[in-house]
Amino acid sequence: MAKAKVKFADVNVTVTVPVGTRIIEISEKVGSYIAYNCREGDCGQCMFAVVEGAQNLSKPSELERATLLQQYREIIDGWRSLDSAEAIAAAMKRDNLGGRECRLACQTQVFGDSVVAPL
Amino acid sequence: MSVAAAVTERIHWIGALDPGMRTFDVILKTPSGTTYNSYCVRGSEGVAIIDTVKLECADQFFARLQQFADYGEIRAIVLNHLEPDHSGCLPELLRRAPQAKLYVSESAQLMLKALVKQDGLAFVPVTTGDSVSLGDRTLRFLHTPYLHWPDTQCTYVPEERVLFSGDVFGCHFCDRRMFNDAVGDFRFAFEYYFHHIMRPFKRHVLDALALIEPLDLAAIAPSHGPILRDRPRDYVARYRELATPRLKRETDNGDRTLIVFYISSYGNTRRMAEAICDGAAEVPGLRLSLYDLEGSPVEPLVDLVEEADAILIGSPTINGDAVKPVWDLLSSFAGIHVKGKVAGAFGSFGWSGEAVRMIEDRLRGLKMRVPVAGVKVKLIPAREEILACRDFGRQVGEFLIGRQVTREIDFSELVSAA
Ligand SMILES: Cc1cc2nc3c(=O)[nH]c(=O)nc-3n(C[C@H](O)[C@H](O)[C@H](O)COP(=O)(O)O)c2cc1C
Ligand code: FES
């Protein structure tokens, strides 16, 4: 069976998995701090950042795209509602979306090597 | 019907008494019943209704409302919290006061649609900084989510110095004298309510207090139990005390806290626990504790877990399972915040050894992080197995202080070993 390597940058663990494995199936077992709620692409809780190898992951479905859009909006509105420059800078630093591609861990399948991390 | 009602000249209690209530939300005992508090705020240009009551008590609510306002005067309806005991009479109230605007917190929007199955229900989402004018009185909103649902908020009327706090500062206590200086001794109910409702959300409590503490307060009007007009600040201070981690308050040298729990019939799992502690002790910057689950009731241990950064749980396998004291401990975590804490499992077994795997699954189910696969030892731990335990303790410790080792593993190891 074809294999791929996924590295979870927050815990420094690289796992060799059969292609087609979903991120959620691996991340929970290695203790990566990607959180879950609905596990079916609805809530956006499991959004994570792709550090490398975005092209090696499954293409996002319509559902995933809609949830991601909603989640981006929430983050940005969250920033908007902060009332000091320091608080906004801190939130942006924490979420650090700049230049990163985000996906849902409960939806995304691994087809080739990649490096991922929680937001 | 005579119930103390005037919070101030402009604000009246129009809620409902439910003295017969004995169990609330499945998890709470209510030996003195409860009240559902809703309030009527009068401004020079209209009236606001803050929260409603549970549907079964609609008669009380509408009868009291009518004593203080006409439906045509109602300009604003505020729901500080959507749980049915506060939103139950909303549809009927909107039917009677169709001109009124409904205000809910931003995070309440989706929930509102799921709770009030009514097409075209119009509402205005509000957050901290937003306000609504009733002429010479103002409603100011504070976004205080997760107390104890995602949707919760507080509403403040600055001209009256009254805070409508929703379930925050509330308790289940039914006394028609309604004010904290007039009712019976409700201290137990207040503490009990915090412990069972707010405790898992302590961080959110602290966020909310940051918004509440600067307010000038003549009274706090919660959605259950007595209205706090006598020394309202004392209750705010008590919330801060209850929500602040004690360990960090008493001694904080920056150490990370790791607690090893175990239970053991022949001492095998205990030996493992000791070796794990020895291993973790090699990592600097850790505060380590070792507890035998047999030696204590669950509650104080849950208190420890609440403030710990990491926990490890050891159980032998008995009849194909981890033992009951372990499950008793784990099933008590619902009352505290454990998501994101580091955790792990270990244990001795005789032939099948299911316990470690089952504990790990449960820890993950609680959204704890299980960064190092648990250790299982067949019967009495041999020298090299003791070393494996030490390694396990050290690895967890290093993960905890952010000094993890780089690992490369195959998926099959995760599936079988975990
Ligand atoms: C009543 C009883 C039932 C047991 N059931 C199992 C079992 O189902 N599977 C297993 O692997 N070991 C089982 N064992 C063996 C224990 O797990 C083993 O003796 C272990 O080393 C005990 O560790 P401890 O000294 O830490 O309690 C059982 C032992 C007893 C006394
Ligand atoms: S867990 Fe809800 S979207 Fe993935």
Side-chain angles (χ1 to χ4, degrees), chain A residues 3 5 10-18 21 25-26 28-31 33 35-37 45, chain B residues 110 127 339-340 357 364 367 369-371 399 404-412 414-415 418:
Chain A
K3 301 272 188 178
K5 282 189 175 180
D10 61 327
V11 284
N12 249 328
V13 179
T14 306
V15 190
T16 309
V17 298
T21 308
E25 298 172 63
I26 324 160
E28 292 195 294
K29 298 205 168 71
V30 300
Y33 196 32
Y36 301 92
N37 191 1
Q45 270 283 304
Chain B
L110 287 177
T127 187
K339 183 173 161 186
R357 168 89 198 251
R364 284 194 200 100
K367 304 204 174 83
R369 314 160 72 180
V370 184
F399 180 84
Q404 333 101 346
V405 260
T406 306
R407 282 194 297 153
E408 285 217 19
I409 45 183
D410 191 79
F411 191 52
S412 58
L414 291 177
V415 178

Side-chain angles (χ1 to χ4, degrees), chain B residues 43-327:
Chain B
S44 57
E45 285 167 29
V47 160
I49 303 297
I50 316 282
D51 292 323
T52 75
V53 306
K54 110 174 177 182
L55 188 57
E56 288 76 1
C57 301
D59 293 349
Q60 284 190 59
F61 169 67
F62 288 110
R64 291 203 174 93
L65 194 165
Q66 287 161 26
Q67 291 176 18
F68 298 103
D70 294 329
Y71 294 110
E73 294 179 296
I74 301 175
R75 256 176 84 156
I77 300 169
V78 177
L79 287 185
N80 281 331
H81 176 26
L82 298 189
E83 208 176 340
D85 54 332
H86 308 296
S87 61
C89 292
L90 177 73
E92 178 59 21
L93 180 60
L94 282 169
R95 210 182 55 73
R96 298 189 189 194
Q99 77 289 347
K101 269 209 173 124
L102 173 63
Y103 299 91
V104 299
S105 82
E106 281 187 337
S107 12
Q109 302 178 63
L110 287 177
M111 202 178 259
L112 185 66
K113 286 177 190 143
L115 273 171
V116 185
K117 310 263 182 207
Q118 187 174 311
D119 284 340
L121 178 68
F123 59 86
V124 184
V126 289
T127 187
T128 308
D130 291 342
S131 61
V132 170
S133 170
L134 303 171
D136 61 356
R137 295 293 180 273
T138 317
L139 307 173
R140 255 172 51 194
F141 303 102
L142 308 179
H143 186 55
T144 55
Y146 291 102
L147 302 177
H148 57 126
W149 278 20
D151 60 283
T152 51
Q153 65 173 354
C154 298
T155 304
Y156 180 61
V157 177
E159 297 85 355
E160 300 291 307
R161 302 189 294 132
V162 171
L163 177 72
F164 300 98
S165 57
D167 282 350
V168 185
F169 306 120
C171 64
H172 292 304
F173 190 79
C174 182
D175 187 324
R176 56 180 56 239
R177 291 166 294 187
M178 274 325 287
F179 290 95
N180 65 328
D181 48 304
V183 298
D185 187 346
F186 69 103
R187 287 172 301 169
F188 167 75
F190 186 85
E191 302 277 315
Y192 180 85
Y193 191 88
F194 180 93
H195 210 73
H196 287 83
I197 296 289
M198 297 299 162
R199 186 178 181 187
F201 307 103
K202 284 184 176 179
R203 291 162 202 209
H204 298 285
V205 170
L206 293 174
D207 288 346
L209 289 175
L211 294 175
I212 292 169
E213 281 164 345
L215 301 175
D216 186 7
L217 289 175
I220 295 174
S223 57
H224 292 288
I227 299 163
L228 312 169
R229 68 178 175 192
D230 182 36
R231 291 192 282 175
R233 290 230 155 259
D234 289 2
Y235 298 88
V236 179
R238 184 65 184 142
Y239 256 54
R240 177 156 288 278
E241 204 177 338
L242 289 168
T244 306
R246 269 180 58 199
L247 184 61
K248 292 243 167 2
R249 200 167 65 206
E250 286 159 14
T251 52
D252 189 9
N253 54 3
D255 280 2
R256 310 278 283 155
T257 309
L258 168 64
I259 304 178
V260 180
F261 295 105
Y262 70 92
I263 187 158
S264 183
S265 54
Y266 293 100
N268 297 335
T269 307
R270 176 170 50 77
R271 254 167 249 143
M272 295 177 72
E274 288 161 357
I276 288 167
C277 277
D278 290 345
E282 292 171 24
V283 181
L286 288 185
R287 175 193 293 262
L288 274 171
S289 323
L290 179 65
Y291 281 97
D292 184 345
L293 288 175
E294 257 193 297
S296 168
V298 167
E299 262 310 302
L301 301 180
V302 174
D303 291 349
L304 295 175
V305 174
E306 183 173 31
E307 298 193 5
D309 298 301
I311 60 162
L312 299 174
I313 297 182
S315 171
T317 298
I318 304 280
N319 298 334
D321 198 351
V323 296
K324 186 166 180 300
V326 166
W327 294 125

